[in-house]
Amino acid sequence: MSLLVDIRKQLGTFRLDVSFTAENGVTTLLGASGCGKSMTLKCIAGIEKPDEGRIVLDGEVLFDSEKKINLPPQKRRVGYLFQNYALFPNMTVRQNILCGLCREKDRAVREKRLREMLKLMQLEGLENHKPAQLSGGQQQRTALARIVVSEPRVLLLDEPFSALDGHLRDSLKIELRDLLDRFGREVLMVTHDRNEAYNMSARIAVMDEGRLLTVKPSKALFADPGTVQAAVLTGCKNIVPARRVSDFEVEIPDWGLRMETKQRVGEGLCAVGIRAHYFSPAAPQNRFPVRYVEEMEEPFEVIIQFRYSGQYPDTSPVWWRIPKEKKPQTFPTELGIAPANILLLYK
């Protein structure tokens, strides 16, 4: 099964221009608020109409501007989970789920499918509860049941954890991931949270200002984001302008030093990224004198800010994040970083 999206849409000064293919499993659109993630989902679902392009699901054309094809939402068999779940507040769990079976006339079939969904979503015993009587996780599962019971060909999740508090959000990630595995079809999820994207999906598509920057397997994206925008979205704290010196060496003018790389440095390099966890007092390579600036304590880690000895004074300090139990008693005079941990970022 596959979903092909190749669309453009102008909204005032904002332009959405995305092209990608999603296959079996979960693909996440990761980007900051306002970058066009939710608008992309709405175009796929038929809630919004692109200005031009094509959307093809399992070989069936849902939208084609040249051929004047634009199937209405009810004919697309696309399941859309809104951020606030959009449950009917005056209906019970049972009634909300049965709304997804409004086209099924056989009462026995409706009842059988309802029971299957209640069991799948762990909602047995809550059939007669209304949304206000449910926890956030139960509301989410009810909304999913209402969608999945209609047997959609693809499931669209718009910030599925945004309505939940932090503790509940973390506990439900594994639960929802298991449910999506059992769903067994394509899932396209939208989030601005890099941890959600990494935990929930096999592939991540990075979006910025209406454009799709890259699509990579989740682990590959975090290991090699490729662009400054993707490095920021994947949580890299140290991003600094750089230029190519040779195949395996870069110069970082703001820090007044050069570093070796494991990856071959290509033309068009504009910056390097170094994740805050990657510095080490024991690393023998890319080792330079440093001086302490300040630190910030977190519940389980410490963020230490430092400067290189040749670093320009008007540039930002460098972040070093370490577990509390590994914090050295005295700040080291030098820090190193393995060449493999230098992220090369291009225009």
Side-chain angles (χ1 to χ4, degrees):
M1 302 177 76
S2 64
L3 172 68
L4 168 67
V5 179
D6 181 14
I7 55 174
R8 268 75 55 198
K9 184 174 179 65
Q10 192 75 37
L11 294 162
T13 58
F14 178 83
R15 179 172 174 80
L16 180 69
D17 188 345
V18 293
S19 180
F20 65 92
T21 300
E23 299 176 347
N24 280 346
V26 181
T27 299
T28 293
L29 299 182
L30 174 65
S33 297
C35 73
K37 307 184 302 296
S38 294
M39 179 58 65
T40 301
L41 291 196
K42 290 176 181 177
C43 288
I44 296 168
I47 300 170
E48 293 282 348
K49 180 183 176 183
D51 297 331
E52 58 180 290
R54 300 178 79 233
I55 302 172
V56 183
L57 177 59
D58 297 337
E60 181 182 7
V61 178
L62 306 185
F63 175 80
D64 190 314
S65 57
E66 290 188 1
K67 296 181 179 179
K68 310 295 183 184
I69 298 173
N70 184 28
L71 294 186
Q74 59 270 25
K75 290 189 176 181
R76 297 193 179 199
R77 286 185 58 196
V78 169
Y80 193 117
L81 181 67
F82 293 88
Q83 291 185 30
N84 61 0
Y85 310 142
L87 293 171
F88 296 110
N90 296 322
M91 290 186 179
T92 63
V93 168
R94 172 190 175 87
Q95 291 167 331
N96 265 286
I97 296 174
L98 286 175
C99 285
L101 289 170
C102 59
R103 291 182 181 80
E104 177 57 63
K105 303 305 179 185
D106 189 316
R107 188 176 226 173
V109 172
R110 285 164 57 87
E111 192 64 27
K112 180 176 181 291
R113 297 286 303 285
L114 170 66
R115 291 298 162 191
E116 290 172 349
M117 281 300 107
L118 289 171
K119 183 177 181 180
L120 177 66
M121 299 296 177
Q122 301 172 14
L123 293 168
E124 292 172 303
L126 300 173
E127 297 94 323
N128 297 318
H129 286 55
K130 292 184 178 179
Q133 298 172 292
L134 303 175
S135 69
Q138 291 165 347
Q139 289 180 25
Q140 185 188 72
R141 294 200 300 274
T142 301
L144 274 172
R146 185 177 63 187
I147 294 169
V148 174
V149 77
S150 66
E151 297 185 333
R153 294 181 294 178
V154 63
L155 189 58
L156 309 179
L157 307 180
D158 194 350
E159 298 278 5
F161 302 102
S162 64
L164 307 174
D165 61 47
H167 173 73
L168 186 57
R169 184 185 304 123
D170 291 339
S171 65
L172 284 178
K173 284 178 185 176
I174 296 176
E175 184 177 304
L176 180 58
R177 189 173 60 194
D178 291 343
L179 287 172
L180 296 179
D181 284 343
R182 293 200 292 273
F183 176 63
R185 298 175 189 173
E186 295 161 46
V187 179
L188 191 60
M189 187 178 85
V190 154
T191 185
H192 63 274
D193 187 311
R194 62 181 178 272
N195 293 324
E196 286 179 13
Y198 187 87
N199 292 334
M200 297 293 299
S201 54
R203 294 168 301 279
I204 299 176
V206 178
M207 287 189 67
D208 182 60
E209 296 182 349
R211 298 173 298 118
L212 195 69
L213 301 183
T214 185
V215 182
K216 289 185 177 182
S218 302
K219 291 183 179 180
L221 176 68
F222 279 74
D224 182 19
T227 66
V228 170
Q229 297 95 324
V232 170
L233 287 168
T234 56
C236 186
K237 298 301 182 184
N238 302 301
I239 300 174
V240 60
R243 55 177 173 251
R244 181 182 187 275
V245 174
S246 63
D247 284 351
F248 297 97
E249 187 177 26
V250 296
E251 182 179 15
I252 307 174
D254 286 1
W255 293 351
L257 48 81
R258 293 183 175 186
M259 287 190 175
E260 297 177 27
T261 69
K262 184 176 182 179
Q263 277 189 311
R264 184 181 296 274
V265 185
E267 299 297 332
L269 180 83
C270 65
V272 296
I274 303 176
R275 300 197 184 278
H277 291 93
Y278 285 168
F279 296 99
S280 171
Q285 294 171 290
N286 295 323
R287 187 178 184 87
F288 302 98
V290 293
R291 62 179 179 83
Y292 175 91
V293 176
E294 61 181 346
E295 65 184 68
M296 179 171 63
E297 184 177 340
E298 294 184 334
F300 305 105
E301 294 182 311
V302 178
I303 298 170
I304 300 176
Q305 293 188 334
F306 68 88
R307 290 183 179 277
Y308 286 105
S309 61
Q311 186 172 342
Y312 288 166
D314 60 345
T315 58
S316 299
V318 187
W319 282 39
W320 177 28
R321 187 191 294 267
I322 52 174
K324 284 184 176 179
E325 67 272 14
K326 293 186 178 181
K327 179 186 175 184
Q329 290 188 349
T330 58
F331 187 73
T333 57
E334 293 183 341
L335 284 174
I337 181 169
N341 290 331
I342 307 296
L343 306 179
L344 304 178
L345 308 176
Y346 297 87
K347 295 177 183 178

